[in-house]
């Protein structure tokens, strides 16, 4: 492990009930991008992620350097006794690192190099961390700087705000990253505002990446029995696929919640779940995962994307990182359960919501969760095993198990 990595994950806060935030210059190995095309070719009829590929007035970048150099970035750190987070306002205001100090592990994919590929709407895009996609996917400004400020709140929590006015429709978006004293989750507060005199469309998908291997499974709620691809063109049973999906034959019955069983690039989005969570879990030695919690009436979108574990996917892994290996995306959308569906902002209208991202461990395949507690219930041979994981300390906690309206 190099000195930079040691420094970034070194805990600096040990006192209970204290949240700190600060800004600092750091060096990250980076493959630089080329100059922007001042007069890009006409893109009016380009289709991107199933919707319009128009980018005006953004310029387009079409070149990535093959040489890696250390580059200085402004980093915003926020930390409490459980979690340490690094945000890069110069790269779209993304979370680049989120570290679980309880299990001593990165609970989102920490890509230790900035290695863009020409995946984004206007060119460069990087894997890892948590990206915030708006007003289109991928975020046009995902590789551009945002404004930022740090606020200390009355309850002792601290919020790092990143803010931009995007150039295509002149709308404003803010995402606030909050750590609370004694809480093992990141609260992300979002505000989007239509500054114009015309109705505008937008989407918002938070895009966390997680490390995957043969022990990794996506964790969808127990009422998810089918999944759609983009635009609901195809549907598959879930978690056991029994037909053809993304032109791959699963007719023998394959558990597609497991990363190792999906060999080709694949998306699947949950259909009409009434639960508030989605996540992923790595069994084996790690025995931990990442969970997202949000009000499903506002944030119904629950999605997994993978490049696949085959040769094509492994080539993309190498294209996006030097040493940190494969990942999947566990995307979460507001006001829609599919892509590229958009919703409306009327003139002068503002919408706001909160999302929670949290590490968890020793739980297995979650059956229900909120921001305070995560629970799994396994029943075997008429015996129920209950595993409860909380995101803060609880005293005199009581667990009630009911069966057919009776307390057991």
């Amino acid at each position: 492990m190099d000195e930079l990595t040691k420094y970034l994950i070194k805990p600096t806060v040990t006192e209970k009930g204290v949240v700190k935030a600060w800004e600092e210059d750091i060096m990250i190995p980076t493959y630089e991008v080329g100059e922007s095309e001042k007069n890009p070719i006409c893109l009016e009829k380009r289709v991107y992620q199933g919707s319009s590929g128009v980018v005006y007035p953004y310029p387009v970048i079409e070149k990535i350097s093959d040489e890696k150099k250390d580059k200085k970035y402004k980093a915003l750190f926020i930390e409490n006794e459980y979690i340490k987070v690094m945000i890069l306002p110069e790269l779209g205001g993304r979370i680049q690192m989120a570290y679980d100090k309880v299990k001593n592990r990165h609970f989102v994919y920490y890509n230790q190099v900035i290695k863009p590929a020409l995946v984004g709407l206007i060119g460069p895009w990087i894997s890892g961390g948590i990206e915030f996609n708006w007003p289109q996917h991928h975020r046009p400004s995902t590789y551009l700087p945002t404004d930022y400020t740090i606020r200390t709140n009355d309850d002792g929590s601290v919020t790092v705000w990143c803010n931009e006015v995007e150039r295509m429709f002149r709308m404003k978006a803010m995402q606030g990253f909050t750590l609370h004293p004694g809480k093992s989750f990141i609260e992300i507060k979002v505000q989007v505002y239509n500054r114009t005199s015309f109705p505008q469309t937008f989407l918002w998908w938070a895009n966390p990446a997680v490390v995957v291997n043969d022990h990794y499974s996506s964790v969808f709620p127990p009422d998810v029995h089918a999944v759609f691809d983009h635009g609901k063109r195809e549907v598959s049973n879930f978690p056991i696929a029994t037909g053809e999906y993304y032109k791959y034959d699963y007719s023998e019955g394959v558990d597609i919640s497991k990363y190792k069983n999906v060999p080709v690039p694949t998306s699947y989005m949950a259909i009409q779940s009434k639960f508030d969570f989605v996540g992923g879990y790595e069994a084996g030695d790690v025995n931990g995962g990442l969970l997202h919690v949000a009000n499903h009436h506002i944030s119904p979108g629950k999605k997994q994307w993978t490049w696949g574990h085959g040769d094509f996917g492994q080539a993309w892994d190498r294209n996006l990182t030097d040493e940190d290996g494969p990942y999947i995306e566990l995307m979460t959308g507001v006001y829609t359960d599919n892509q590229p569906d958009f919703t409306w902002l009327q003139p002068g209208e503002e919408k706001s919501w909160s999302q929670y991202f949290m590490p968890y461990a020793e739980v297995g395949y979650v059956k229900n969760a909120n921001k305070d507690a995560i629970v799994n219930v396994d029943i075997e041979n008429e015996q129920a095993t209950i595993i409860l994981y909380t995101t803060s300390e609880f005293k005199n906690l009581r667990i009630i198990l009911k069966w057919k309206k009776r307390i057991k």
Side-chain angles (χ1 to χ4, degrees):
M1 184 179 297
D2 61 38
E3 290 301 316
L4 177 62
T5 303
K6 288 181 182 178
Y7 173 71
L8 291 181
I9 67 175
K10 181 181 178 182
T12 60
V13 174
T14 57
E15 184 179 352
K16 296 180 66 173
V18 174
V19 183
K20 291 185 178 179
W22 67 99
E23 58 182 87
E24 195 169 328
D25 291 333
I26 62 169
M27 303 297 290
I28 304 178
T30 299
Y31 293 84
E32 290 278 25
V33 301
E35 293 292 328
S36 299
E37 295 288 342
K38 294 182 179 180
N39 298 297
I41 62 173
C42 297
L43 300 173
E44 284 82 359
K45 295 184 178 180
R46 181 181 65 155
V47 175
Y48 178 83
Q49 296 280 339
S51 57
S52 171
V54 173
V55 296
Y56 182 83
Y58 285 105
V60 173
I61 294 174
E62 299 178 324
K63 295 180 181 179
I64 306 292
S65 173
D66 293 329
E67 295 183 11
K68 178 172 59 176
K69 299 179 181 179
D70 285 343
K71 182 178 180 180
K72 184 170 72 174
Y73 292 87
K74 178 72 69 178
L76 309 176
F77 290 92
I78 186 168
E79 183 175 10
N80 66 10
E81 62 262 49
Y82 299 124
I83 293 174
K84 184 175 184 179
V85 178
M86 180 176 75
I87 300 152
L88 296 182
E90 293 170 293
L91 294 180
R94 65 188 294 116
I95 291 178
Q96 184 70 7
M97 182 200 73
Y99 189 75
D100 177 5
K101 295 162 62 175
V102 176
K103 291 290 287 183
N104 294 318
R105 61 180 292 266
H106 295 281
F107 63 98
V108 299
Y109 182 94
Y110 175 38
N111 197 344
Q112 298 174 81
V113 62
I114 304 299
K115 193 175 185 180
L118 298 178
V119 174
L121 182 64
I122 64 172
W125 176 87
I126 58 175
S127 65
I130 306 179
E131 177 195 26
F132 302 95
N133 292 301
W134 110 290
Q136 192 167 327
H137 185 89
H138 286 281
R139 184 175 187 159
S141 57
T142 191
Y143 209 77
L144 296 175
T146 64
D147 295 328
Y148 65 90
T149 189
I150 299 173
R151 302 288 188 192
T152 299
N153 306 310
D154 292 340
D155 62 357
S157 64
V158 179
T159 303
V160 174
W161 285 100
C162 291
N163 160 76
E164 73 160 352
V165 174
E166 55 82 25
R167 302 179 195 175
M168 293 194 300
F169 309 107
R170 308 304 298 168
M171 294 189 293
K172 181 176 180 176
M174 300 171 62
Q175 66 260 25
F177 309 95
T178 301
L179 289 188
H180 297 264
K183 303 289 187 180
S184 181
F185 56 69
I186 307 168
E187 180 182 6
I188 299 175
K189 305 173 182 179
V190 183
Q191 294 175 290
V192 295
Y193 171 55
N194 181 3
R195 305 163 61 250
T196 76
S197 301
F198 304 95
Q200 305 286 4
T201 60
F202 82 97
L203 55 74
W204 181 281
W205 284 79
N207 184 11
V210 292
V211 173
V212 288
N213 51 42
D214 287 350
H215 303 291
Y216 204 92
S217 298
S218 54
V219 177
F220 280 34
D223 63 346
V224 176
H225 304 296
V227 289
F228 281 128
D229 75 335
H230 289 256
K232 301 183 178 180
R233 299 165 298 183
E234 291 187 72
V235 64
S236 172
N237 293 330
F238 185 88
I240 307 300
T242 56
E244 185 178 280
Y245 194 57
Y246 274 78
K247 299 181 181 179
Y248 192 83
D249 184 8
Y250 296 106
S251 59
E252 292 184 359
V254 177
D255 186 350
I256 60 172
S257 73
K258 298 182 181 298
Y259 164 75
K260 67 179 182 180
N261 292 339
V262 184
V264 297
T266 304
S267 283
Y268 32 92
M269 288 166 257
I271 300 173
Q272 297 180 341
S273 175
K274 296 181 180 179
F275 286 77
D276 291 338
F277 75 93
V278 68
Y281 195 79
E282 182 181 343
D285 294 338
V286 171
N287 204 11
L290 165 73
L291 211 68
H292 168 267
V293 170
N295 182 343
H296 72 275
H297 296 290
I298 297 173
S299 181
K302 299 172 172 63
K303 173 190 174 183
Q304 176 183 303
W305 154 259
T306 176
W307 292 106
H309 72 80
D311 292 341
F312 182 85
Q314 292 174 19
W316 267 103
D317 296 335
R318 294 189 296 270
N319 199 35
L320 291 164
T321 188
D322 285 345
E323 58 184 274
D324 293 304
Y327 72 97
I328 62 172
E329 297 170 9
L330 295 170
M331 301 187 66
T332 60
V334 298
Y335 303 110
T336 180
D337 63 0
N338 202 270
Q339 292 176 330
D341 294 355
F342 289 76
T343 192
W344 290 95
L345 275 176
Q346 297 302 318
E349 183 182 8
E350 175 188 300
K351 292 184 184 292
S352 60
W353 60 89
S354 289
Q355 300 174 281
Y356 300 86
F357 290 94
M358 59 197 69
Y360 70 105
E362 317 295 334
V363 176
Y365 208 98
V366 175
K367 300 302 189 299
N368 206 350
N370 58 29
K371 66 182 178 64
D372 298 310
I374 300 165
V375 66
N376 184 16
V377 179
D378 285 328
I379 299 176
E380 186 175 354
N381 298 326
E382 298 184 349
Q383 296 291 320
T385 300
I386 303 172
I387 303 174
L388 177 67
Y389 186 97
T390 62
T391 57
S392 62
E393 289 188 25
F394 281 83
K395 295 182 179 180
N396 302 318
L397 184 66
R398 185 184 180 197
I399 300 174
I400 297 175
L401 177 64
K402 291 184 178 181
W403 175 255
K404 296 181 178 180
K405 298 183 179 182
R406 294 182 296 173
I407 297 177
K408 304 299 286 184

